[in-house]
CSV table of all heavy atoms in Angstrom, one decimal:
chain,number,residue,atom,x,y,z
G,267,ASN,N,143.7,89.3,28.1
G,267,ASN,CA,145.1,89.4,28.5
G,267,ASN,C,145.7,88.0,28.5
G,267,ASN,O,145.2,87.1,29.1
G,267,ASN,CB,145.3,90.1,29.8
G,267,ASN,CG,146.8,90.3,30.1
G,267,ASN,OD1,147.5,89.4,30.4
G,267,ASN,ND2,147.2,91.6,30.1
G,268,PHE,N,146.8,87.8,27.7
G,268,PHE,CA,147.5,86.5,27.6
G,268,PHE,C,149.0,86.6,27.9
G,268,PHE,O,149.6,87.7,27.8
G,268,PHE,CB,147.4,86.0,26.1
G,268,PHE,CG,146.0,85.9,25.6
G,268,PHE,CD1,145.4,86.9,24.9
G,268,PHE,CD2,145.3,84.7,25.8
G,268,PHE,CE1,144.1,86.8,24.4
G,268,PHE,CE2,144.0,84.6,25.3
G,268,PHE,CZ,143.4,85.6,24.6
G,269,SER,N,149.5,85.5,28.3
G,269,SER,CA,151.0,85.3,28.4
G,269,SER,C,151.4,84.3,27.2
G,269,SER,O,150.8,83.2,27.1
G,269,SER,CB,151.4,84.7,29.7
G,269,SER,OG,151.2,85.7,30.7
G,270,CYS,N,152.4,84.8,26.4
G,270,CYS,CA,152.9,83.9,25.4
G,270,CYS,C,154.4,83.8,25.6
G,270,CYS,O,155.2,84.6,25.1
G,270,CYS,CB,152.6,84.6,24.0
G,270,CYS,SG,150.9,84.8,23.6
G,271,GLY,N,154.7,82.8,26.4
G,271,GLY,CA,156.1,82.7,26.8
G,271,GLY,C,156.6,83.9,27.6
G,271,GLY,O,156.0,84.4,28.5
G,272,PRO,N,157.7,84.6,27.1
G,272,PRO,CA,158.2,85.7,27.8
G,272,PRO,C,157.6,87.1,27.5
G,272,PRO,O,158.1,88.1,27.8
G,272,PRO,CB,159.7,85.7,27.3
G,272,PRO,CG,159.6,85.2,25.9
G,272,PRO,CD,158.5,84.2,25.9
G,273,VAL,N,156.5,87.1,26.7
G,273,VAL,CA,155.8,88.3,26.5
G,273,VAL,C,154.3,88.2,26.9
G,273,VAL,O,153.7,87.1,26.9
G,273,VAL,CB,155.8,88.7,25.0
G,273,VAL,CG1,157.3,88.8,24.5
G,273,VAL,CG2,155.0,87.8,24.1
G,274,ASP,N,153.7,89.4,27.2
G,274,ASP,CA,152.2,89.4,27.4
G,274,ASP,C,151.6,90.1,26.2
G,274,ASP,O,152.1,91.0,25.6
G,274,ASP,CB,151.9,90.3,28.7
G,274,ASP,CG,152.0,89.4,29.9
G,274,ASP,OD1,152.4,88.2,29.8
G,274,ASP,OD2,151.8,90.0,31.0
G,275,LEU,N,150.4,89.6,25.9
G,275,LEU,CA,149.6,90.1,24.8
G,275,LEU,C,148.2,90.6,25.3
G,275,LEU,O,147.5,89.8,26.0
G,275,LEU,CB,149.4,89.0,23.7
G,275,LEU,CG,148.4,89.2,22.6
G,275,LEU,CD1,148.9,90.3,21.7
G,275,LEU,CD2,148.1,87.9,21.9
G,276,LYS,N,147.8,91.8,24.9
G,276,LYS,CA,146.5,92.3,25.2
G,276,LYS,C,145.7,92.3,23.8
G,276,LYS,O,146.3,92.8,22.9
G,276,LYS,CB,146.5,93.7,25.8
G,276,LYS,CG,147.1,93.7,27.2
G,276,LYS,CD,147.0,95.1,27.8
G,276,LYS,CE,147.6,95.2,29.2
G,276,LYS,NZ,147.6,96.6,29.7
G,277,VAL,N,144.5,91.9,23.8
G,277,VAL,CA,143.7,91.9,22.6
G,277,VAL,C,142.3,92.5,23.0
G,277,VAL,O,141.7,92.0,24.0
G,277,VAL,CB,143.5,90.5,22.0
G,277,VAL,CG1,142.6,90.6,20.7
G,277,VAL,CG2,144.8,89.9,21.7
G,278,GLU,N,141.9,93.5,22.3
G,278,GLU,CA,140.6,94.1,22.6
G,278,GLU,C,139.7,94.0,21.3
G,278,GLU,O,140.1,94.4,20.2
G,278,GLU,CB,140.8,95.6,22.9
G,278,GLU,CG,141.6,95.9,24.1
G,278,GLU,CD,141.9,97.3,24.4
G,278,GLU,OE1,141.8,98.1,23.4
G,278,GLU,OE2,142.2,97.7,25.5
G,279,PHE,N,138.5,93.6,21.5
G,279,PHE,CA,137.5,93.5,20.5
G,279,PHE,C,136.5,94.7,20.7
G,279,PHE,O,135.9,94.7,21.8
G,279,PHE,CB,136.7,92.2,20.5
G,279,PHE,CG,137.6,91.0,20.2
G,279,PHE,CD1,138.3,90.4,21.2
G,279,PHE,CD2,137.8,90.6,18.9
G,279,PHE,CE1,139.1,89.3,21.0
G,279,PHE,CE2,138.6,89.5,18.6
G,279,PHE,CZ,139.3,88.9,19.7
G,280,VAL,N,136.4,95.6,19.8
G,280,VAL,CA,135.7,96.9,20.0
G,280,VAL,C,134.6,97.0,19.0
G,280,VAL,O,134.8,97.0,17.8
G,280,VAL,CB,136.7,98.1,19.9
G,280,VAL,CG1,135.9,99.4,20.3
G,280,VAL,CG2,137.9,97.9,20.8
G,281,SER,N,133.4,97.2,19.5
G,281,SER,CA,132.2,97.5,18.7
G,281,SER,C,131.7,98.9,19.1
G,281,SER,O,131.1,99.0,20.2
G,281,SER,CB,131.1,96.5,18.9
G,281,SER,OG,131.5,95.2,18.7
G,282,PRO,N,132.0,99.9,18.3
G,282,PRO,CA,131.7,101.3,18.7
G,282,PRO,C,130.2,101.6,18.6
G,282,PRO,O,129.8,102.5,17.8
G,282,PRO,CB,132.6,102.1,17.8
G,282,PRO,CG,132.8,101.3,16.6
G,282,PRO,CD,132.8,99.8,17.0
G,283,LEU,N,129.4,100.9,19.3
G,283,LEU,CA,127.9,101.1,19.3
G,283,LEU,C,127.6,102.2,20.2
G,283,LEU,O,127.0,102.0,21.3
G,283,LEU,CB,127.2,99.8,19.6
G,283,LEU,CG,127.5,98.6,18.7
G,283,LEU,CD1,126.9,97.3,19.2
G,283,LEU,CD2,127.0,98.9,17.3
G,284,LEU,N,127.9,103.4,19.8
G,284,LEU,CA,127.6,104.6,20.6
G,284,LEU,C,126.3,105.2,20.2
G,284,LEU,O,126.2,105.7,19.1
G,284,LEU,CB,128.8,105.6,20.5
G,284,LEU,CG,130.2,105.1,20.7
G,284,LEU,CD1,131.2,106.2,20.7
G,284,LEU,CD2,130.3,104.4,22.1
G,285,MET,N,125.4,105.2,21.1
G,285,MET,CA,124.0,105.6,20.7
G,285,MET,C,123.8,107.1,20.5
G,285,MET,O,122.7,107.5,20.1
G,285,MET,CB,123.0,105.0,21.7
G,285,MET,CG,122.8,103.5,21.4
G,285,MET,SD,121.3,102.9,22.2
G,285,MET,CE,122.0,102.4,23.8
G,286,ASP,N,124.7,107.9,20.9
G,286,ASP,CA,124.6,109.3,20.6
G,286,ASP,C,125.2,109.7,19.2
G,286,ASP,O,125.2,110.8,18.8
G,286,ASP,CB,125.3,110.2,21.6
G,286,ASP,CG,126.8,109.9,21.7
G,286,ASP,OD1,127.3,108.9,21.1
G,286,ASP,OD2,127.5,110.7,22.4
G,287,ASP,N,125.6,108.7,18.4
G,287,ASP,CA,126.2,108.9,17.1
G,287,ASP,C,125.7,107.8,16.2
G,287,ASP,O,126.3,106.7,16.1
G,287,ASP,CB,127.7,108.9,17.2
G,287,ASP,CG,128.4,109.2,15.9
G,287,ASP,OD1,127.7,109.1,14.8
G,287,ASP,OD2,129.6,109.6,15.9
G,288,LEU,N,124.6,108.0,15.5
G,288,LEU,CA,123.9,106.9,14.7
G,288,LEU,C,124.7,106.6,13.5
G,288,LEU,O,124.7,105.4,13.0
G,288,LEU,CB,122.5,107.3,14.4
G,288,LEU,CG,121.5,107.5,15.5
G,288,LEU,CD1,120.1,107.7,15.1
G,288,LEU,CD2,121.6,106.3,16.5
G,289,ASP,N,125.5,107.5,13.0
G,289,ASP,CA,126.4,107.2,11.8
G,289,ASP,C,127.4,106.2,12.2
G,289,ASP,O,127.7,105.2,11.5
G,289,ASP,CB,127.1,108.5,11.3
G,289,ASP,CG,126.1,109.4,10.6
G,289,ASP,OD1,125.0,109.0,10.2
G,289,ASP,OD2,126.4,110.6,10.5
Side-chain angles (χ1 to χ4, degrees):
N267 186 287
F268 303 94
S269 292
C270 302
V273 305
D274 276 1
L275 168 69
K276 293 181 180 179
V277 182
E278 299 174 341
F279 297 87
V280 185
S281 301
L283 299 173
L284 306 184
M285 280 197 272
D286 62 348
D287 186 341
L288 297 187
D289 290 341

